[in-house]
Amino acid sequence: MKQRWMLVMAALLFLLAGCQGNDWTVSVKTSPFYKEGTASSFAIAIQKDGKPASGLEVTAIFEMANMDHGQIVASLEEKEDGLYEGDVQLPMEGEWDVLLQIKDGNETIEKLVTLEVKRQDVAAMINGMAITTADVKFYQTRWQIEISSAMEAVKKKYRGEELNERISYWERQLNETAEPRSAVTRLIELHSMALLAEEKGYSVDEPVVDREVEKRKRQYEGSETARTLLRQYGESAFWEQERRYVRLVLLAQNVWNDMVEQVKNEHPDVTEAEMRFLAQKKYDELLVSQIDSLHIQLYLSEL
């Protein structure tokens, strides 16, 4: 316990010293998680006298609370004004004390924060929000249901060469959804545009989500393959995650609608097909820009 005592004493000494008259505040923006053999992100925002503090040298010393497992040291780099981030690989979940050593020229400030580190099977992180392996499995199952239902409908409607072409298309889609990296990519795209929609002030009412979920339930009831896949996945767990998925889709739909309106205003005489093409082009360009603006980390080695 000697090291923990030293961390606590260092923080107490800092508080007693009063930080030489300056008002320093630290807030945790991204808390690390535990995943065996995987480093995760730790990010903090530092302010001095109420303003983002830039140009600092920041070191984070991790020590597990109430246990003597040694210290883990990570250097944090400034990503934007006052925001410092670094990766740390922690050996277990639980409560961790973090002593932050902040060097501002000749002045060194120390702050102590406590984190509750949780185990996560993470596939990706977007601005500190996790896309888990469970999310990936749900997405794959969902699209298996959608594609299998579409294939059932195609078999009822078409015959001969046209049927073969359409089945071949859906089989390629089915193979793509079986690849975890493809599923993660699509989930990142969806989350990114949902975040953009929220930045634009859009929201989704729960009754709207309810109606959309009920619509999907009725749709799946008519497909034997869908019913089988739902039973295998677990119906209760599937519909719980479907609600979250539907909310993301509805948020992203608002951004798509904005692109459609822009095209209609800029090109009032285009055909429906041309309008959709131009709107899709705008949407894709916006998606690339949005993804570039986010902090995205991938953890795909175990998928």
Side-chain angles (χ1 to χ4, degrees):
M1 297 296 180
K2 182 178 179 181
Q3 290 173 322
R4 173 170 168 77
W5 179 82
M6 291 175 64
L7 287 179
V8 175
M9 285 302 297
L12 289 174
L13 288 172
F14 161 73
L15 292 173
L16 291 172
C19 196
Q20 300 181 6
N22 294 319
D23 180 19
W24 292 83
T25 59
V26 173
S27 58
V28 176
K29 295 301 181 182
T30 303
S31 184
F33 58 84
Y34 167 66
K35 182 178 182 180
E36 186 175 356
T38 301
S40 60
S41 178
F42 174 57
I44 58 172
I46 303 176
Q47 289 191 333
K48 179 179 181 181
D49 298 328
K51 298 179 181 179
S54 295
L56 307 175
E57 294 181 24
V58 182
T59 301
I61 304 173
F62 290 78
E63 183 178 331
M64 196 158 197
N66 303 316
M67 299 182 73
D68 189 7
H69 284 313
Q71 296 178 341
I72 299 171
V73 180
S75 296
L76 308 186
E77 296 183 0
E78 188 170 13
K79 300 299 182 179
E80 57 185 70
D81 288 352
L83 181 66
Y84 296 82
E85 183 177 6
D87 291 336
V88 59
Q89 183 174 323
L90 300 175
M92 61 189 304
E93 60 187 321
E95 187 176 309
W96 286 80
D97 289 327
V98 188
L99 179 64
L100 299 167
Q101 296 180 336
I102 304 167
K103 187 175 181 181
D104 182 20
N106 295 325
E107 180 184 9
T108 298
I109 304 94
E110 292 186 332
K111 288 279 191 178
L112 183 67
V113 297
T114 299
L115 306 174
E116 186 63 34
V117 175
K118 298 181 179 180
R119 180 191 297 269
Q120 290 199 38
D121 290 324
V122 176
M125 297 286 288
I126 305 177
N127 281 15
M129 179 200 67
I131 294 176
T132 67
T133 53
D135 295 329
V136 175
K137 180 183 177 183
F138 163 77
Y139 179 87
Q140 291 175 303
T141 300
R142 187 185 192 283
W143 279 99
Q144 286 175 13
I145 292 173
E146 291 284 331
I147 293 168
S148 298
S149 299
M151 290 173 72
E152 286 182 3
V154 162
K155 289 175 181 177
K156 294 177 181 178
K157 186 174 181 180
Y158 298 97
R159 295 292 183 272
E161 188 60 31
E162 188 171 8
L163 172 61
N164 292 335
E165 289 179 0
R166 292 177 182 272
I167 290 295
S168 178
Y169 167 79
W170 286 116
E171 285 177 343
R172 290 196 300 273
Q173 296 296 308
L174 199 58
N175 289 335
E176 183 180 345
T177 62
E179 170 54 50
R181 284 167 175 77
S182 175
V184 171
T185 297
R186 294 194 180 196
L187 285 170
I188 287 174
E189 292 174 353
L190 179 59
H191 278 277
S192 297
M193 295 311 270
L195 285 171
L196 179 60
E198 290 178 328
E199 291 170 9
K200 288 174 170 285
Y202 288 112
S203 61
V204 177
D205 294 333
E206 289 306 307
V208 177
V209 176
D210 292 338
R211 288 194 296 270
E212 198 64 30
V213 170
E214 287 302 317
K215 176 182 175 182
R216 282 163 167 76
K217 285 183 178 180
R218 291 192 298 271
Q219 175 188 336
Y220 294 166
E221 286 173 358
S223 167
E224 182 179 348
T225 303
R227 293 196 301 271
T228 299
L229 289 170
L230 280 170
R231 286 195 300 270
Q232 291 173 349
Y233 186 90
E235 291 194 39
S236 178
F238 180 90
W239 291 115
E240 181 179 343
Q241 288 187 280
E242 177 71 2
R243 287 189 60 81
R244 294 195 291 269
Y245 179 83
V246 165
R247 180 180 178 276
L248 294 173
V249 170
L250 292 174
L251 280 169
Q253 184 66 39
N254 288 304
V255 181
W256 165 257
N257 292 340
D258 284 349
M259 299 303 98
V260 171
E261 287 302 314
Q262 284 186 26
V263 171
K264 287 180 177 179
N265 291 333
E266 295 170 2
H267 309 280
D269 299 324
V270 297
T271 65
E272 182 71 16
E274 290 172 327
M275 181 274 295
R276 292 189 66 83
F277 174 80
L278 293 172
Q280 188 65 58
K281 186 172 183 292
K282 284 180 174 289
Y283 186 91
D284 291 343
E285 290 171 350
L286 188 58
L287 172 62
V288 171
S289 175
Q290 171 70 353
I291 287 177
D292 286 343
S293 73
L294 301 173
H295 181 46
I296 298 175
Q297 296 169 293
L298 300 176
Y299 305 94
L300 297 172
S301 60
E302 296 182 10
L303 294 181

